[in-house]
């Protein structure tokens, strides 16, 4: 089974790194979509089937906090798992995001293993041995 | 030099090594003298919340290319490192440094929203001003890097 990912970050460098990590992993990739902010991400989510979202917090136009909030208010999008990938390390912020229903919070800079293991865990690939 | 120099120095080295596998070395005043053959770049980011302020990183365009190349796993001469990626990698570097600085200086409960970082070419006067106001200065792979932070209000670093 192939999985579709959405990577949301205003840094093209970070989007490129996450894409490379996923492409080099053993995860079967269907489509890799990108968005530079929360607004663009919601547009993609409305039009494409997405299995997992990696999203930054601080972005222009719409940040990751509002994007997650909007997803949770939308019946079609609320069950899509989101991993926040941010330079912020405030415990208050992490608790706030976990309360909004994100699956995990990963602090930048991350390692390739961080991304790969989180994706496998959330998609239950580690348990299935895929 | 501000009260926050030690926190800034710690996060600068941490992020530079973890993000780009690069390392800062001690620098002398002569390393920061303006050279007309160099193109100089400054990147700024703001943080707003319990503590507010701004952070700036100034260096050469060459530093941005090497940073992008290291992060992307390419050569600095390759097109992908030379085009927009150099500027973008510099902006992401200051974004990471600032995010880690907030918790290092003010504690793990401190929250701050970061403004989208900016990066732009600067001339000799702006370079000299960036060097003069820097809290920490290093040589990174033979290129000068000057970093400064300004914190508003009364909060002091731990």
């Amino acid at each position: 089974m192939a999985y579709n990912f959405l990577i949301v970050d205003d840094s093209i460098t970070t989007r490129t790194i996450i894409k490379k990590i996923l492409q080099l992993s053993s995860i079967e990739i269907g489509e890799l979509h990108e968005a530079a902010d929360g607004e663009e991400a919601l547009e993609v989510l409305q039009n494409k089937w997405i299995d997992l979202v990696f999203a930054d917090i601080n972005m222009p136009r719409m940040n990751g906090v509002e994007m997650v909030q909007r997803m949770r208010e939308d019946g079609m999008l609320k069950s899509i798992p989101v991993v926040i990938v941010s330079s912020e390390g405030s415990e208050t912020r992490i608790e706030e995001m976990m309360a909004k229903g994100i699956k995990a919070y990963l602090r930048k800079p991350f390692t390739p293993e961080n991304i790969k293991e989180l994706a496998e865990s959330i998609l239950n690939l580690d348990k299935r041995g895929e | 030099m501000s009260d926050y120099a030690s926190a800034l120095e710690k996060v600068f080295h941490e992020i530079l090594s973890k993000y780009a596998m690069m390392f800062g070395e001690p620098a002398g005043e002569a390393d920061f003298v303006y050279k007309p053959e160099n193109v100089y770049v400054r990147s700024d980011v703001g943080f707003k919340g319990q503590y507010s302020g701004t952070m700036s990183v100034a260096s050469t365009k060459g530093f941005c290319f090497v940073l992008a190349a290291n992060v992307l796993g390419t050569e600095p001469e390759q097109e992908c490192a030379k085009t927009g990626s150099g500027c973008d990698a510099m902006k992401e570097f200051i974004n990471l440094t600032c995010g880690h600085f907030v918790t290092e200086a003010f504690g793990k409960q401190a929250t701050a929203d970061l403004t989208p970082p900016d990066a732009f070419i600067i001339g000799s006067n702006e370079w000299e001003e960036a060097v003069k106001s820097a809290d920490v200065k290093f040589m990174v792979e033979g290129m000068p890097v000057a970093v400064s932070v300004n914190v508003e209000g009364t909060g002091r670093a731990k």
Side-chain angles (χ1 to χ4, degrees), chain B:
Chain B
M1 188 176 282
S2 76
D3 296 337
Y4 304 98
S6 60
L8 187 58
E9 184 171 347
K10 185 183 172 195
V11 296
F12 175 83
H13 287 298
E14 191 179 301
I15 299 303
L16 191 66
S17 60
K18 284 186 182 171
Y19 179 58
M21 282 296 290
M22 292 164 78
F23 303 92
E25 294 168 14
E29 289 304 313
D31 297 318
F32 289 84
V33 173
Y34 178 81
K35 294 188 177 86
E37 64 269 28
N38 282 345
V39 176
Y40 292 88
V41 176
R42 198 179 90 203
S43 183
D44 297 335
V45 69
F47 52 99
K48 290 177 184 170
Q50 291 165 289
Y51 298 89
S52 299
T54 56
M55 180 178 285
S56 295
V57 176
S59 188
T60 63
K61 212 170 178 180
F63 173 75
C64 301
F65 294 155
V66 174
L67 190 67
N70 277 30
V71 170
L72 295 168
T74 63
E75 293 298 321
E77 296 76 23
Q78 280 185 261
E79 203 55 33
C80 59
K82 279 202 151 187
T83 52
S85 297
C87 178
D88 186 79
M90 178 71 149
K91 289 196 283 186
E92 186 66 350
F93 174 68
I94 196 171
N95 176 52
L96 300 190
T97 305
C98 190
H100 282 251
F101 170 79
V102 168
T103 43
E104 181 65 30
F106 309 120
K108 287 184 177 177
Q109 297 297 328
T111 55
D113 292 320
L114 307 192
T115 61
D118 197 6
F120 45 89
I121 305 288
I122 54 174
S124 60
N125 290 344
E126 291 113 317
W127 169 251
E128 282 157 13
E129 185 54 42
V131 172
K132 196 175 151 190
S133 61
D135 293 296
V136 292
K137 290 184 280 189
F138 300 99
M139 289 300 282
V140 181
E141 301 204 5
M143 293 165 286
V145 183
V147 191
S148 64
V149 66
N150 289 297
V151 179
E152 298 167 9
T154 56
R156 295 183 68 84
K158 288 184 172 178

Side-chain angles (χ1 to χ4, degrees), chain A residues 9-14 16-17 20 58-60 87-93 107-109, chain B residues 15 18-19 71-72 85 88-89 92 95-96 99-100 103 108-114 116:
Chain A
D9 200 304
D10 53 333
S11 165
I12 190 170
T13 309
T14 299
T16 304
I17 298 166
K20 271 191 185 180
N58 292 297
M59 295 179 286
S87 63
E88 283 193 48
S90 158
E91 287 172 357
T92 312
R93 176 76 83 194
R107 194 173 193 194
K108 295 178 186 175
Chain B
I15 299 303
K18 284 186 182 171
Y19 179 58
V71 170
L72 295 168
S85 297
D88 186 79
E92 186 66 350
N95 176 52
L96 300 190
H100 282 251
T103 43
K108 287 184 177 177
Q109 297 297 328
T111 55
D113 292 320
L114 307 192

Side-chain angles (χ1 to χ4, degrees), chain A residues 22-119:
Chain A
L22 291 171
Q23 284 165 338
L24 290 171
S25 75
S26 57
I27 300 168
E28 199 176 336
I29 308 292
E31 295 170 4
L32 279 172
H33 296 278
E34 295 180 48
D37 58 55
E39 269 188 31
E40 267 186 35
L42 290 174
E43 272 182 45
V44 175
L45 288 162
Q46 294 289 353
N47 294 299
K48 303 283 182 185
W49 178 277
I50 299 294
D51 297 294
L52 179 58
V53 179
F54 287 99
D56 190 12
I57 290 182
N58 292 297
M59 295 179 286
R61 296 209 302 170
M62 183 190 292
N63 66 25
V65 180
E66 191 180 344
M67 184 199 81
V68 170
Q69 184 63 41
R70 296 271 291 272
M71 286 176 70
R72 295 300 169 246
E73 291 165 2
D74 186 313
M76 296 289 284
L77 307 181
K78 66 182 178 187
S79 60
I80 298 174
V82 177
V83 174
I84 290 292
V85 186
S86 171
S87 63
E88 283 193 48
S90 158
E91 287 172 357
T92 312
R93 176 76 83 194
I94 296 169
E95 284 164 18
E96 177 197 359
M97 295 307 297
M98 294 305 286
K100 286 186 188 296
I102 63 162
K103 282 286 180 185
Y105 191 106
L106 180 60
R107 194 173 193 194
K108 295 178 186 175
F110 48 77
T111 65
E113 289 73 28
N114 294 149
I115 294 286
K116 184 178 161 288
E117 285 168 12
L118 270 174

